[in-house]
Amino acid sequence: MSAMNAQIQPILKIGAVAKAAGVSIDTVRFYEGRGLLPSPQRSASGYRLYDQSTIERLNFIGRAKGLGFTLNEIMLLLDLQDKGGSKAEVKSITGAKLEQIERKIEDLQRMRSVLGKLNSDCSGSGSVTGCPIIEALVDGDSDDCCK
Amino acid sequence: MSAMNAQIQPILKIGAVAKAAGVSIDTVRFYEGRGLLPSPQRSASGYRLYDQSTIERLNFIGRAKGLGFTLNEIMLLLDLQDKGGSKAEVKSITGAKLEQIERKIEDLQRMRSVLGKLNSDCSGSGSVTGCPIIEALVDGDSDDCCK
DNA sequence: CTTTACTCTAGTCTAGACTCTAGGGTGTAT
DNA sequence: ATACACCCTAGAGTCTAGACTAGAGTAAAG
Ligand SMILES: [Zn+2]
Ligand SMILES: [Zn+2]
Ligand SMILES: [Zn+2]
Ligand SMILES: [Zn+2]
């Protein structure tokens, strides 16, 4: 907050931002192409030049990915931040994602329960003949798993 | 089990097996290309000719897919059935899948818990300024979600 | 005989998120 | 001067599980 260093930011080349954010150089360029990162300034020789804010933006993207958002969804979230959207818009995106995650969890729990039972029913020794796992796949008994 | 109908099987064209198994014709041809289905007999004019066993094989594949197996994994399971593998081999595939499913469930539960908390922390009204969801993405507080 | 339904091949397209390649230019240290 | 790391572009390739298309031949029904 001192008076005179308004835009004196350290200038970073692509390798440095990538490293700082823990992504590859290719990923940075890829995100730029996808519109997740703005087109950066260029040096006289054409090198991309970044500052700290790009690292923060990459971290935003990484955290959102960690919460299960796709790059398209992340672009929506970044737009809401950049252009000033409403909390309602943000919440509708995260709410939808939450429901999607819950549905996925239910699917996987169903798979786990069927597969866990089959797995424990199988002795694991001898030839595949009579294997309860294979039999369940063959004739579909005890099958709640295929809609 | 009567004495004389050893291989008198009804002959089905691709549309019929596909319909009976609840998949598309494209899918049947695709599975053949992937090696999940053997190359069928052909009619004089080149039509694929199947019998009931193909429907059963397609059902096997569908059930395995419903349990989360990929087509490559399903091919392994089918091979064990076709060529006579051991129960241990089957169980090692299903055991690995079970662990994979469990890991996925844990990931998703982590996402759900973080996202659920953020979602309920956000009032949902007004501008995005101060939105706890966006803030968490920006500065990474309360963040157990990104490895 | 004609219409309609079915089948054939080969190839392209989708989503998602990169990753890699080829072929070149730049920057800095020794 | 030259080694070496770094950067550039454009485009192709990867993985999964098919969907879809075009152009052509075949079968069944009226
Ligand atoms: Zn078994
Ligand atoms: Zn099932
Ligand atoms: Zn909010
Ligand atoms: Zn996180």
Side-chain angles (χ1 to χ4, degrees), chain A residues 87, chain B residues 122 131-133:
Chain A
K87 289 196 185 68
Chain B
C122 172
C131 168
I133 299 167

Side-chain angles (χ1 to χ4, degrees), chain B:
Chain B
M1 280 218 181
S2 69
M4 51 189 298
N5 50 3
Q7 60 263 47
I8 302 177
Q9 296 269 16
I11 284 168
L12 304 159
K13 281 181 290 183
I14 195 167
V17 274
K19 192 169 184 186
V23 300
S24 76
I25 290 176
D26 282 336
T27 300
V28 177
R29 284 195 283 244
F30 175 70
Y31 286 172
E32 180 186 332
R34 289 291 305 263
L36 290 154
L37 295 175
S39 300
Q41 286 187 284
R42 300 289 185 132
S43 73
S45 55
Y47 285 18
R48 289 169 177 81
L49 300 176
Y50 299 99
D51 62 25
Q52 191 64 24
S53 70
T54 302
I55 297 171
E56 283 157 24
R57 202 169 173 93
L58 285 168
N59 286 333
F60 182 113
I61 295 169
R63 286 184 199 108
K65 268 167 55 70
L67 289 174
F69 293 101
T70 65
L71 295 186
N72 279 338
E73 290 161 345
I74 294 170
M75 189 141 45
L76 298 178
L77 291 170
L78 285 167
D79 272 359
L80 291 175
Q81 198 205 4
D82 293 345
K83 302 179 183 159
S86 66
K87 289 197 185 68
E89 289 172 295
V90 174
K91 216 173 164 178
S92 104
I93 295 173
T94 58
K97 178 57 60 178
L98 204 47
E99 278 181 21
Q100 196 182 106
I101 288 173
E102 267 155 17
R103 270 183 272 114
K104 254 187 211 164
I105 289 175
E106 282 161 23
D107 278 0
L108 289 168
Q109 282 173 339
R110 180 186 49 69
M111 295 179 199
R112 178 176 62 180
S113 97
V114 175
L115 211 50
K117 176 164 182 343
L118 291 177
N119 215 45
S120 66
D121 282 356
C122 172
S123 71
S125 65
S127 123
V128 75
T129 312
C131 168
I133 299 167
I134 293 292
E135 292 202 335
L137 292 171
V138 167
D139 54 52
D141 286 350
S142 74
D143 184 5
D144 297 328
C145 64
C146 316
K147 64 236 154 274

Side-chain angles (χ1 to χ4, degrees), chain A:
Chain A
M1 283 219 178
S2 70
M4 49 191 297
N5 49 5
Q7 60 265 45
I8 302 176
Q9 296 269 17
I11 285 168
L12 304 159
K13 280 180 289 184
I14 196 168
V17 276
K19 193 169 184 186
V23 300
S24 76
I25 289 176
D26 282 336
T27 299
V28 177
R29 284 195 285 244
F30 174 71
Y31 285 172
E32 182 186 330
R34 289 289 306 261
L36 290 156
L37 297 175
S39 299
Q41 287 185 282
R42 299 289 185 130
S43 73
S45 54
Y47 286 18
R48 289 170 176 82
L49 300 176
Y50 299 98
D51 62 24
Q52 193 64 26
S53 68
T54 301
I55 296 170
E56 284 157 23
R57 202 169 173 93
L58 285 168
N59 286 333
F60 182 114
I61 295 168
R63 285 183 201 107
K65 269 167 53 72
L67 289 174
F69 293 101
T70 66
L71 294 185
N72 280 337
E73 290 161 345
I74 294 169
M75 188 140 47
L76 298 177
L77 291 170
L78 285 167
D79 272 0
L80 291 175
Q81 197 203 6
D82 293 345
K83 301 179 183 160
S86 66
K87 289 196 185 68
E89 291 171 294
V90 174
K91 217 172 163 178
S92 103
I93 295 173
T94 58
K97 179 57 59 178
L98 205 46
E99 279 181 20
Q100 196 182 106
I101 288 172
E102 268 155 18
R103 269 183 272 115
K104 254 186 213 165
I105 289 175
E106 283 162 23
D107 278 0
L108 289 168
Q109 282 173 338
R110 181 186 46 69
M111 293 179 198
R112 179 176 60 181
S113 96
V114 176
L115 211 49
K117 176 163 182 349
L118 291 177
N119 215 43
S120 66
D121 283 356
C122 172
S123 71
S125 64
S127 126
V128 77
T129 310
C131 169
I133 300 168
I134 293 293
E135 292 202 335
L137 292 171
V138 166
D139 55 49
D141 288 349
S142 75
D143 185 4
D144 297 327
C145 64
C146 313
K147 62 235 149 272

